[in-house]
Amino acid sequence: MTEQREDHVMKAALRFSRQDVIGRIDPRIYGSFLEHLGRAIYGGIYEPDHPTADDMGFRGDVLALVRRLGIPLVRYPGGNFVSGYCWEDGVGPRSERPRRLDLAWSSIEPNLIGIGEFQEWAKRAGAEVMMAVNLGTRGVEEARDLVEYCNFPGGTKYSDMRRRNGYEAPFGIKYWCLGNEMDGPWQIGHKTAEEYGRLAAETGKVMKWVDPGIELIACGSSNSGMPTFGAWERTVLEHTYDVADYISLHSYYGNRSGDTEEYLACSKDMDRFIETVVGICDEVKAEKQSDKTMALSFDEWNVWFHSNEQDKRQEKWTVAPPLLEDVYNFEDALVVGCLLITLLRHADRVKIACLAQLVNVIAPIMTENGGRAWAQTIFYPFLHASLFGRGLSLRTGVECPCYDAGQYGKTPCLEAIAVCSEDGRELCILAVNRAPEAATLTYGAEGFADPELTEHIVLRSDDLKAVNTADDPERVRPERLSPDAGLLLPPRSWNVLRFRCG
Ligand code: AHR
């Protein structure tokens, strides 16, 4: 499978049934993430001097792009940043807020945006905040105080502090991450599974005493390649099973060896990662004879590798340096499509997922300081999945040729999933054709009355390395193929096939 061969057409067939449902797709799998890192916050969402800035200094052009994505929740404020963060630095009068060393990213944090402003930004973006607490340098006390500040109505030290700061109504933040990547030696306050498990359990217990309505995400491994992967999950879950509602997974991919065939198959790694974590969760459930089934929060996933070298040369200790500014190409968009399909295939257990991140930092949206904002290539598969990948996820059998994808082994040329509305009247197939040749698609859709193709959206390019830039922001953009042309998936393409059923 090397060069593009439009003349040759392969055959692919899908089989699914309305009765064979994997799970209800939780809209929160279309979450994202904004960290105090690089130009994500300053120059990304917040730039008071920008021509589109609103009354709070939030960029209107960025908000418009974010709203298009239909993101229901956004993780904040980190990431590695949170493990050294004092949330108190980001509240109260701006003139009194300290500038601080951010040791996670060797930057200066001006604290112009804190939880109050961010909560307001999220509201304007149509999303809810998923907040992380610092379990690197801090612990039970600060987490307790932060929940009180955010969620307690009033009449206590921290709830009244919030009200004095101009936020009369509680924020009502429901989802809380118990730290971030605590298994990683790069983390400020890195811990063993035993140390973290105990701290997370005690912190979570006390947070829920302040607000019993919150849900908690315990840290799983930073990625499936960690030497402690598996053992970490087991130990952490043994401590936190009763108090936590989710365990986190993180994974980033990249075409480091320049091997497109192999790269396009990396969603197989995500698939295996999810299945392994599900297995461990269920093992701990059985050991504990618990009635509760642990949900998964895949709260960092994306492609991340383009900016690695450039970041090593970045000057330290500046405010909002251009860090992790991956410029995504067309093949990255295909990978993001495959990863989205993989998440949908695990709709029964993956209840939250966050594309990491949202603006400028490994992001679907890029900005120039003071200038333009545009959509990167990966914006589009995420947009389409968020718009059309809702409802029920269906077990989808795929018959098609396979190819040898290096470390990922024998891999189907087609990655696909069918989803449908609860009433079965709308059906949608999301599919990535990994092959350099077109595919004719047939399908067996049991239980659907006369599906009629109403729309075929495609993202394709002759150049796998094509990118969108400020000067050429639409080099890679979706197009509509005529539904009358039949089910033909172009070589190496992302496809959305929408059907109306009788
Ligand atoms: O998203 C960038 C970084 O990746 C996050 O700060 C960290 O949690 C992960 O390692």
Side-chain angles (χ1 to χ4, degrees):
M1 203 176 82
T2 40
E3 85 257 37
Q4 245 167 250
R5 292 189 303 157
E6 305 222 21
D7 52 326
H8 188 270
V9 176
M10 72 173 167
K11 286 192 172 60
L14 303 183
R15 195 164 305 282
F16 49 88
S17 159
R18 216 186 134 190
Q19 311 312 324
D20 198 1
V21 174
I22 296 171
R24 184 160 285 116
I25 299 162
D26 195 312
R28 295 171 302 163
I29 69 164
Y30 301 117
S32 190
F33 175 31
L34 274 164
E35 177 168 0
H36 283 249
L37 192 187
R39 298 190 308 121
I41 302 291
Y42 308 110
I45 64 163
Y46 177 73
E47 199 178 353
D49 295 334
H50 192 272
T52 69
D54 65 13
D55 59 312
M56 286 190 71
F58 297 131
R59 282 184 66 150
D61 55 351
V62 172
L63 268 172
L65 284 164
V66 172
R67 280 195 211 105
R68 269 182 76 191
L69 290 176
I71 287 165
L73 109 173
V74 56
R75 185 165 173 253
Y76 175 84
N80 297 341
F81 171 80
V82 80
S83 297
Y85 186 48
C86 294
W87 66 266
E88 301 89 332
D89 293 344
V91 302
R94 277 205 172 112
S95 57
E96 291 169 22
R97 296 186 193 175
R99 283 162 67 89
R100 288 276 223 150
L101 291 182
D102 164 18
L103 298 178
W105 301 105
S106 304
S107 310
I108 302 276
E109 171 54 50
N111 281 306
L112 297 175
I113 296 290
I115 181 54
E117 293 84 13
F118 190 75
Q119 170 69 25
E120 188 52 41
W121 178 84
K123 222 192 289 171
R124 293 176 187 202
E128 63 182 307
V129 176
M130 171 157 126
M131 188 77 191
V133 299
N134 173 355
L135 293 189
T137 59
R138 312 187 89 189
V140 180
E141 187 176 5
E142 298 83 3
R144 176 201 65 189
D145 298 346
L146 181 55
V147 180
E148 181 184 320
Y149 183 88
C150 293
N151 287 6
F152 203 74
T156 63
K157 176 173 172 177
Y158 290 103
S159 58
D160 285 345
M161 186 190 280
R162 181 198 69 238
R163 293 165 71 203
R164 276 198 307 279
N165 289 337
Y167 304 98
E168 180 59 34
F171 301 148
I173 297 177
K174 183 159 180 182
Y175 307 106
W176 294 80
C177 302
L178 295 165
N180 175 70
E181 296 190 350
M182 299 309 305
D183 62 326
W186 59 85
Q187 202 68 214
I188 302 168
H190 167 220
K191 293 177 174 46
T192 64
E194 197 66 42
E195 289 165 344
Y196 170 71
R198 286 286 302 129
L199 178 61
E202 284 305 304
T203 306
K205 175 183 87 181
V206 173
M207 290 167 75
K208 282 191 169 175
W209 283 350
V210 179
D211 182 352
I214 63 175
E215 295 186 3
L216 300 173
I217 298 101
C219 287
S221 296
S222 302
N223 59 70
S224 61
M226 295 297 290
T228 48
F229 174 52
W232 172 274
E233 277 74 6
R234 193 164 294 110
T235 304
V236 167
L237 285 170
E238 272 156 15
H239 287 292
T240 60
Y241 204 88
D242 292 336
V243 78
D245 302 280
Y246 309 79
I247 183 140
S248 74
L249 295 83
H250 291 180
S251 205
Y252 293 99
Y253 298 96
N255 188 359
R256 290 191 184 78
S257 57
D259 181 340
T260 296
E261 271 93 34
E262 185 174 79
Y263 180 44
L264 291 178
C266 67
S267 52
K268 290 178 86 176
D269 174 81
M270 180 190 246
D271 196 65
R272 198 178 318 125
F273 188 12
I274 292 172
E275 283 176 9
T276 308
V277 174
V278 165
I280 297 168
C281 289
D282 292 350
E283 205 177 285
V284 178
K285 175 181 177 174
E287 268 165 27
K288 289 189 173 284
Q289 301 185 11
S290 172
D291 290 334
K292 176 161 116 190
T293 298
M294 188 63 60
L296 271 52
S297 172
F298 214 122
D299 47 42
E300 287 189 33
W301 69 270
N302 201 351
V303 169
W304 173 14
F305 75 110
H306 294 286
S307 59
N308 293 167
E309 285 310 307
Q310 180 184 314
D311 285 351
K312 289 182 194 152
R313 298 189 292 273
Q314 181 56 50
E315 189 194 338
K316 293 187 172 184
W317 314 123
T318 62
V319 174
L323 288 173
L324 280 66
E325 298 206 356
D326 272 37
V327 176
Y328 292 117
N329 58 34
F330 174 66
E331 71 179 7
D332 298 325
L334 295 180
V335 164
V336 164
C338 291
L339 296 172
L340 284 159
I341 292 169
T342 305
L343 290 171
L344 285 165
R345 199 178 295 126
H346 293 283
D348 54 337
R349 296 301 286 268
V350 178
K351 297 295 174 187
I352 295 178
C354 301
L355 176 69
Q357 299 194 11
L358 188 54
V359 187
N360 289 332
V361 170
I362 43 174
I365 298 169
M366 290 298 288
T367 71
E368 295 172 317
N369 289 343
R372 296 164 284 189
W374 66 98
Q376 295 228 59
T377 59
I378 63 166
F379 183 93
Y380 296 107
F382 190 87
L383 170 73
H384 298 147
S386 171
L387 287 177
F388 307 120
R390 305 261 178 168
L392 305 174
S393 160
L394 304 176
R395 211 168 310 283
T396 306
V398 181
E399 269 174 47
C400 66
C402 288
Y403 71 98
D404 179 9
Q407 61 163 312
Y408 301 114
K410 204 172 148 206
T411 300
C413 291
L414 197 68
E415 182 88 78
I417 192 147
V419 304
C420 71
S421 57
E422 303 265 350
D423 64 6
R425 294 175 75 86
E426 283 169 54
L427 175 66
C428 180
I429 294 171
L430 301 171
V432 172
N433 181 2
R434 293 184 171 111
E437 57 210 37
T440 50
L441 190 69
T442 54
Y443 61 88
E446 205 184 297
F448 292 94
D450 307 321
E452 181 200 344
L453 183 65
T454 53
E455 191 171 31
H456 183 179
I457 306 171
V458 73
L459 193 68
R460 61 176 166 183
S461 172
D462 292 338
D463 180 1
L464 287 167
K465 308 297 177 189
V467 298
N468 292 345
T469 60
D471 290 329
D472 193 0
E474 300 210 324
R475 171 127 187 250
V476 179
R477 70 186 159 106
E479 56 190 294
R480 279 192 170 72
L481 301 186
S482 163
D484 304 330
L487 296 179
L488 188 72
L489 312 184
R492 289 196 172 132
S493 59
W494 158 256
N495 298 267
V496 181
L497 298 157
R498 300 182 66 208
F499 301 83
R500 193 183 314 113
C501 306

